[in-house]
Amino acid sequence: MTDAPLREFIDRHPRLFVLTGAGCSTASGIPDYRDDNGDWKRARPVMLQQFLAHESTRQRYWARSLVGWQRMSTARPNDAHLALATLERRGRIEALVTQNVDGLHQAGGSFNVIDLHGRVDVVRCLSCQQRLPRERVQADLARRNPRFAALDALAAPDGDADLDGVEFAAFDVPPCDACGGVLKPDVVFFGENVPKERAGRAMEALRRSDAMLVVGSSLMVLSGYRFAQAAAEAGKPIAAINLGRTRADDLLELKVTERCTDALSFLLSGVEFSASRAEDVRLREEAR
Ligand SMILES: [Zn+2]
């Protein structure tokens, strides 16, 4: 398929508001929650209210997360992440707002990123608000639950995994080491609101932009869809790259039904910033 319409859309609008979703990370081996119709592919992810109310839900969550993290933590940015980082370096992106919690945009070289739904590599105590690196919690989870740590399973997008027929009651969930409180990954769960300040910052960036580009999202979740609504209300044109239907299809000026990596590949032609180079940058940052 020709990339001309998308290229032209990007050329015509120098200050892009980019919103990315799960489809941007599938080529990195992180599966999508939804099918081409925007329906759930698997069991619904855990709801905040259940997580808070039931120890058994937290046991199930952390058991699946212990296993799923192994894939999540080794995922690397793909060409879609690199293409968007290139666009940012050319000064074309007002803000990149992502619904993904995997940190792969930053790993791919983007700086101006708003993690709308938080980051799965950070854990927060719901009582004293202490933040912990996930790696530390992961080590504690594995030490307390060696039997689970040895399991392998299909990973889900937020770093949890499908474990069928496993008994979770024996799972030992670590409490906060400072106050004994409940630990939760620092991500926005289903049933939870995006923090006001963060949503406001993203909406402010949309106001400064002249167009919106959706990359790999069906916009089924309201926290993402509302940006498309706001863009449409402000008369800003919207383009979307997504394999399936999006909730905003009626609002789009341009729809590109392709994989994100394919649709954006033209941005990388002639660019020497390769996946291995991004990996070098990441390793250097980690070494600091
Ligand atoms: Zn605490």
Side-chain angles (χ1 to χ4, degrees):
M1 191 192 278
T2 170
D3 55 34
L6 182 61
R7 189 191 286 260
E8 198 194 288
F9 183 90
I10 290 175
D11 284 347
R12 233 181 320 130
H13 305 103
R15 292 194 313 278
L16 288 171
F17 176 89
V18 180
L19 179 71
T20 74
C24 199
S25 288
T26 45
S28 294
I30 298 172
D32 193 350
Y33 267 120
R34 296 175 187 272
D35 63 22
D36 289 351
N37 273 322
D39 294 325
W40 297 108
K41 274 181 188 171
R42 59 184 77 226
R44 249 173 187 284
V46 67
M47 302 285 292
L48 176 71
Q49 291 73 8
Q50 295 162 345
F51 186 88
L52 296 180
H54 308 292
E55 169 74 15
S56 60
T57 303
R58 294 194 290 275
Q59 286 176 309
R60 185 167 156 273
Y61 177 85
W62 282 113
R64 295 171 59 186
S65 180
L66 166 61
V67 176
W69 175 254
Q70 290 159 17
R71 183 191 293 203
M72 185 67 123
S73 61
T74 54
R76 294 292 168 252
N78 62 58
D79 280 354
H81 300 109
L82 300 181
L84 291 170
T86 300
L87 205 54
E88 182 187 280
R89 275 195 301 282
R90 292 179 194 162
R92 306 297 307 281
I93 294 184
E94 187 64 39
L96 192 161
V97 176
T98 186
Q99 300 171 290
N100 300 337
V101 295
D102 51 37
L104 289 179
H105 285 297
Q106 291 90 337
S110 287
F111 288 93
N112 191 10
V113 180
I114 297 175
D115 296 298
L116 197 62
H117 294 159
R119 286 281 292 261
V120 80
D121 54 1
V122 179
V123 175
R124 190 164 53 86
C125 170
L126 296 179
S127 299
C128 73
Q129 305 300 322
Q130 145 174 249
R131 284 155 168 264
L132 300 163
R134 172 57 198 260
E135 287 297 347
R136 205 169 112 198
V137 176
Q138 181 74 8
D140 201 11
L141 286 166
R143 188 177 52 75
R144 288 165 183 256
N145 303 279
R147 205 167 53 81
F148 283 87
L151 291 175
D152 191 16
L154 219 61
D158 59 358
D160 93 29
D162 290 331
L163 295 181
D164 290 328
V166 171
E167 186 51 63
F168 297 110
F171 194 83
D172 183 8
V173 179
C176 170
D177 57 8
C179 78
V182 170
L183 296 180
K184 174 181 171 291
D186 201 13
V187 303
V188 175
F189 275 21
F190 286 84
E192 185 176 5
N193 291 322
V194 173
K196 268 209 174 68
E197 181 275 334
R198 199 185 296 162
R201 217 156 19 98
M203 203 52 95
E204 200 45 56
L206 177 61
R207 269 185 219 113
R208 293 192 305 267
S209 308
D210 49 23
M212 176 172 178
L213 174 64
V214 179
V215 182
S217 174
S218 60
L219 299 174
M220 288 300 159
V221 179
L222 186 62
S223 61
Y225 177 65
R226 53 199 291 271
F227 293 107
Q229 279 181 311
E233 276 165 25
K236 299 177 200 274
I238 309 169
I241 305 162
N242 198 53
L243 279 179
R245 193 170 77 81
T246 85
R247 186 172 173 183
D249 277 355
D250 292 348
L251 306 177
L252 301 180
E253 176 182 308
L254 173 65
K255 172 81 179 281
V256 180
T257 310
E258 279 183 73
R259 283 187 302 220
C260 305
T261 46
D262 294 340
L264 294 170
S265 63
F266 70 91
L267 290 168
L268 289 174
S269 60
V271 172
E272 287 181 19
F273 195 86
S274 63
S276 62
R277 169 86 195 290
E279 180 68 6
D280 291 344
V281 171
R282 193 188 63 80
L283 291 174
R284 249 181 286 131
E285 275 177 7
E286 270 184 10
R288 259 190 236 140

